[in-house]
Amino acid sequence: DTGVSQDPRHKITKRGQNVTFRCDPISEHNRLYWYRQTLGQGPEFLTYFQNEAQLEKSRLLSDRFSAERPKGSFSTLEIQRTEQGDSAMYLCASSGTGVEAFFGQGTRLTVV
Amino acid sequence: KQEVTQIPAALSVPEGENLVLNCSFTDSAIYNLQWFRQDPGKGLTSLLLIQSSQREQTSGRLNASLDKSSGRSTLYIAASQPGDSATYLCAVNGGGSEKLVFGKGMKLTVNP
């Protein structure tokens, strides 16, 4: 296991469609985070899991967004009824007892 | 609400210069400060983590310092190289939250 893995790397979807992204954290990392980054901005926090429990959610995470982490391993982020404003890079990160956060390569979402 | 600022937004320097990148944050009650590098269209690469009890960390040509009381951190890059060209972001967490709050980043260009 060499790092945080995200799939897909790129996604183009039509407005109104649902999309789902997957994140595989570094094995044995119990903390997993989702962030969103738009052009020229730093990443913004979306949600945080410790093991399978979703402990923190941003107000950015509207009811169209849902995240899961079944069994405390991989995580999925689903966006329903996508809007053009959802176009962004979605980043996943994980950390363990060492607290340092390691990020994946991100999923670039384009809503047309 | 924690806010992180990085000034300037961009910097262009000739190869070989020693550089100081600045980061400031408004709430000194942080757990950790982390510096990242981001190449265009890619995820974030962790450079250095400074825990709140530490004052600095070093890795190769990089040295990061932390002054919690003044809400400042600096990243020192020695003998800059064209391969150092990237966007550098700093982020902090704290105040009862695990989430990282990011600055907008500083785009560095090192010219050969």
Side-chain angles (χ1 to χ4, degrees), chain A residues 74-110:
Chain A
F74 71 92
S75 176
T76 58
L77 177 68
E78 180 183 18
I79 309 174
Q80 296 182 329
R81 304 182 304 282
T82 51
E83 302 172 355
Q84 286 189 321
D86 297 331
S87 296
M89 175 79 89
Y90 289 83
L91 294 161
C92 177
S94 70
S95 67
T97 54
V99 305
E100 186 173 2
F102 294 90
F103 280 75
Q105 289 298 299
T107 295
R108 168 74 66 188
L109 173 66
T110 302

Side-chain angles (χ1 to χ4, degrees), chain A residues 32-89:
Chain A
L32 187 147
Y33 312 79
W34 286 98
Y35 291 83
R36 180 173 67 185
Q37 187 179 27
T38 53
L39 199 62
Q41 303 295 314
E44 294 178 294
F45 171 78
L46 293 177
T47 190
Y48 156 62
F49 291 86
Q50 183 161 323
N51 299 312
E52 66 273 15
Q54 188 173 21
L55 297 185
E56 195 172 351
K57 289 171 62 173
S58 165
R59 283 173 289 180
L60 292 175
L61 213 64
S62 75
D63 55 8
R64 296 185 299 107
F65 288 69
S66 63
E68 295 183 342
R69 192 183 183 197
K71 302 179 182 179
S73 55
F74 71 92
S75 176
T76 58
L77 177 68
E78 180 183 18
I79 309 174
Q80 296 182 329
R81 304 182 304 282
T82 51
E83 302 172 355
Q84 286 189 321
D86 297 331
S87 296
M89 175 79 89

Side-chain angles (χ1 to χ4, degrees), chain B residues 23-35:
Chain B
C23 172
S24 63
F25 47 95
T26 54
D27 186 347
S28 61
I30 64 168
Y31 301 145
N32 308 297
L33 184 143
Q34 202 165 348
W35 281 94

Side-chain angles (χ1 to χ4, degrees), chain A residues 6-23:
Chain A
Q6 291 189 246
D7 184 71
R9 294 291 308 278
H10 304 276
K11 178 72 176 179
I12 300 174
T13 191
K14 292 183 178 180
R15 191 172 50 189
Q17 297 293 304
N18 300 342
V19 294
T20 299
F21 310 139
R22 177 179 170 123
C23 171

